[in-house]
């Protein structure tokens, strides 16, 4: 693409193509090859285990591929060891070759929960004992470790973490331990990083500036086009650190400075980005989907106010507890507050909201089909729509039909 100016519509289609929404879902079974392709195209999957519906990192491939066996994602990540977990855009699944690109962050990792550094400093024997236990026994969860001496079993904070888990997390954040598996209840099983990652990836050293350039290259590829803030946010890089690296990538021809209609800031275009003539897709999006996770970008691309309100008191919520935006074509046209009622095997739509520019009838018909598809994927037998607003009633009728 040689143009220096993009219309808003072109930028939106370009961004959707970069995120994997420019091709139809596979017509047959979803294999591990499909999942590998999606994770590598996106660069990462943000982990979130809120189970109101289904953990978010399972939703992101579903949006692009349709129904698949969730165990296959676990197989790709934890059995075949082509991907691993690390702090990237928050806690994330990343390709194993991304691990050395994040090593400079591990060296400066901020231990969680806040203030836990004091425990680590005051209890070096227990901190070392945790490593010794893992080294001797192999992958361990927090519950499989001996507790520290004394009364410090749980942390006096609102994180509800045990000291054992927090020590493991500190070692993980610093790159000494890696996640070898997920056990029942999604509990992390930690092992020494050199036993989880191959020597090629664990032992590889990458200079800090080149690590940042490569992360920004990946962000540019996954976004298609974005501002400096968009690029920096993708891997949670401070904008002040991203700015000189982006300048270097522009000078090297690996990003191109462009203008997008209606954007106040300059944008950076990946040279491999394509603008499809149209986007034909219908997909419910996880609140943590990389297409929308950066609120300012969602507003710029889609004129869409994206808020995740699960931690907002119920009486102050505008949209709902666990709300999924609905992508239809190249626009976000609605949002639905969903809950998987596992006891009654029913996918519940607790609220449904239509965007001002969208037409209720066509959106409801398409959304109803997508809700039925998601319900089947989750093992639900039916979809139930609640609400007295006009669009909720229209959607309920479409679901019944």
């Amino acid at each position: 693409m040689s143009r220096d100016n993009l219309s808003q519509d072109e930028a939106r289609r370009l961004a959707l193509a970069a995120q994997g929404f420019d091709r139809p879902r596979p017509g047959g079974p979803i294999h591990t090859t499909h999942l590998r392709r999606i994770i590598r195209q996106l660069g990462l999957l943000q982990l979130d285990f809120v189970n109101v519906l289904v953990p978010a990192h399972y939703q992101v491939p579903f949006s692009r591929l349709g129904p698949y066996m969730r165990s296959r994602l676990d197989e790709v990540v934890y059995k075949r060891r082509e991907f691993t977990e690390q702090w990237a855009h928050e806690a994330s699944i990343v390709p194993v070759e991304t691990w050395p690109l994040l090593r400079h962050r591990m060296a400066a990792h901020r231990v969680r929960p806040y203030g836990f550094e004091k425990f680590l400093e005051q209890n070096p024997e227990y901190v070392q004992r945790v490593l010794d236990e893992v080294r001797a026994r192999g992958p361990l969860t927090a519950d499989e470790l001996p507790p520290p001496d004394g009364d410090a079993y749980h942390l006096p904070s609102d994180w509800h973490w045990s000291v054992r888990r927090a020590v493991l997390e500190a070692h993980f954040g610093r790159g000494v331990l890696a996640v070898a598996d997920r056990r029942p209840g999604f509990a992390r099983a930690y092992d020494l990083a050199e036993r989880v990652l191959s020597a090629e990836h664990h032992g590889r050293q990458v200079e800090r500036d080149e690590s940042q350039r490569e992360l920004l290259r990946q962000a540019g590829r996954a976004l298609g086009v974005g501002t400096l803030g968009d690029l920096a946010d993708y891997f949670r890089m401070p904008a002040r650190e991203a700015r000189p690296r982006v300048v270097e990538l522009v000078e090297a021809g690996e990003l191109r400075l462009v203008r997008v209609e209606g954007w106040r800031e300059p944008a950076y275009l990946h040279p491999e980005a394509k603008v499809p003539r149209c986007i034909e897709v219908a997909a419910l999006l996880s609140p943590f989907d990389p297409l929308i996770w950066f609120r300012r970008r969602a507003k710029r691309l889609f004129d869409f106010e994206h808020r995740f309100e699960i931690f907002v008191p119920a009486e102050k919520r505008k949209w709902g507890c666990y709300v999924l935006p609905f992508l239809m074509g190249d626009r976000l046209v609605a949002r639905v507050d969903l809950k998987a009622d596992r006891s009654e095997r029913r996918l519940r739509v607790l609220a449904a909201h239509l965007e001002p520019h969208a037409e209720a009838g066509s959106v409801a018909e398409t959304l109803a089909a997508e809700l039925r598809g998601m319900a089947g994927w989750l093992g639900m037998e039916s979809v139930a729509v609640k609400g007295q607003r006009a669009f909720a009633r229209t959607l309920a009728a479409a679901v019944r039909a």
Side-chain angles (χ1 to χ4, degrees):
M1 186 185 300
S2 59
R3 291 165 47 192
D4 294 326
N5 296 283
L6 295 171
S7 70
Q8 180 71 269
D9 288 347
E10 289 172 325
R12 189 165 52 246
R13 296 200 304 273
L14 192 155
L16 286 163
Q19 285 280 303
F21 288 110
D22 60 332
R23 62 177 72 188
R25 290 171 171 171
I30 307 302
H31 301 293
T32 54
T33 53
H34 296 103
L35 294 167
R36 285 193 206 97
R37 174 180 61 79
I38 287 298
I39 303 174
R40 290 192 177 279
Q41 181 169 4
L42 300 179
L44 75 169
L45 293 179
Q46 182 178 341
L47 288 159
D48 189 87
F49 287 93
V50 172
N51 208 23
V52 173
L53 185 65
V54 64
H57 49 285
Y58 294 113
Q59 294 179 50
V60 173
F62 172 81
S63 297
R64 292 151 178 83
L65 299 173
Y68 70 97
M69 293 175 61
R70 298 195 292 280
S71 61
R72 286 188 172 159
L73 182 61
D74 298 334
E75 177 188 344
V76 166
V77 177
Y78 303 110
K79 306 303 181 192
R80 301 195 181 190
R81 299 285 174 85
E82 298 174 47
F83 302 90
T84 191
E85 296 187 22
Q86 191 44 254
W87 290 96
H89 182 97
E90 305 300 329
S92 304
I93 293 168
V94 296
V96 289
E97 56 267 29
T98 301
W99 178 280
L101 304 179
L102 301 169
R103 193 182 300 280
H104 66 281
R105 296 190 188 183
M106 300 175 201
H109 176 70
R110 185 175 177 180
V111 174
R112 302 187 182 194
Y114 177 76
F116 190 64
E117 294 93 341
K118 289 183 179 179
F119 179 91
L120 301 179
E121 294 168 1
Q122 295 169 1
N123 297 271
E125 298 85 0
Y126 184 71
V127 173
Q128 183 59 46
R129 183 183 179 188
V130 167
L131 279 183
D132 292 342
E133 291 278 343
V134 173
R135 183 175 289 108
R137 298 166 57 191
L140 296 177
T141 66
D143 289 343
E144 293 170 323
L145 283 171
D149 297 331
D151 298 327
Y153 185 77
H154 287 284
L155 299 175
S157 72
D158 59 356
W159 282 67
H160 306 294
W161 280 15
S162 69
V163 168
R164 295 176 293 178
R165 179 185 167 194
V167 172
L168 286 166
E169 285 287 328
H171 285 310
F172 165 71
R174 292 169 174 173
V176 180
L177 298 180
V179 177
D181 198 5
R182 287 280 182 170
R183 302 278 173 79
F186 305 120
R188 277 173 163 170
Y190 304 81
D191 201 355
L192 299 178
E194 61 263 31
R195 294 201 297 228
V196 175
L197 297 152
S198 69
E200 174 190 0
H201 301 301
H202 181 260
R204 183 181 170 216
Q205 300 294 322
V206 184
E207 183 261 343
R208 178 190 178 95
D209 288 358
E210 178 51 31
S211 293
Q212 292 180 330
R213 279 191 291 270
E214 178 56 27
L215 292 173
L216 289 164
R217 287 185 192 103
Q218 292 184 24
R221 188 178 302 111
L223 294 172
V225 64
T227 65
L228 174 68
D230 297 342
L231 293 167
D233 176 78
Y234 206 79
F235 283 95
R236 286 289 199 255
M237 191 183 303
R240 67 181 182 278
E241 296 182 17
R243 183 172 286 106
R245 305 290 82 82
V246 168
V247 170
E248 292 162 359
L249 292 173
V250 170
E251 291 174 347
E254 297 182 79
L255 289 175
R256 193 156 62 81
L257 190 62
V258 297
R259 287 282 177 181
V260 177
E261 174 192 10
W263 291 19
R264 295 181 180 180
E265 302 172 60
Y268 299 90
L269 177 70
H270 194 274
E272 297 173 6
K274 306 291 184 184
V275 181
R277 292 184 178 179
C278 65
I279 296 287
E280 297 180 357
V281 66
L284 288 159
L285 303 179
S286 159
F288 302 101
D289 194 295
L291 180 67
I292 56 167
W293 65 24
F294 191 35
R295 290 170 60 179
R296 294 202 297 270
R297 179 174 171 84
K299 177 64 175 175
R300 248 184 288 115
L301 277 174
F302 299 103
D303 193 22
F304 188 84
E305 297 284 353
H306 178 49
R307 291 183 64 195
F308 185 53
E309 299 180 311
I310 195 169
F311 299 115
V312 175
E315 66 276 8
K316 295 183 178 180
R317 290 174 186 149
K318 182 177 181 180
W319 307 110
C321 175
Y322 200 83
V323 174
L324 274 64
F326 182 52
L327 174 67
M328 181 174 160
D330 66 351
R331 300 298 301 273
L332 294 175
V333 295
R335 61 188 95 199
V336 284
D337 184 14
L338 299 183
K339 178 180 175 60
D341 186 340
R342 294 174 178 86
S343 63
E344 296 192 12
R345 301 188 69 181
R346 183 171 297 165
L347 178 61
R348 295 193 179 276
V349 182
L350 304 179
H353 307 273
L354 184 72
E355 290 300 292
H357 62 80
E359 194 279 317
S362 60
V363 171
E365 182 179 353
T366 307
L367 177 54
E370 187 66 10
L371 287 167
R372 286 191 290 266
M374 174 171 274
W377 177 56
L378 297 176
M380 306 287 116
E381 295 178 346
S382 63
V383 177
V385 181
K386 178 182 177 182
Q388 295 303 312
R389 292 189 176 186
F391 182 61
R393 294 196 302 270
T394 303
L395 179 59
V399 167
R400 290 193 297 270

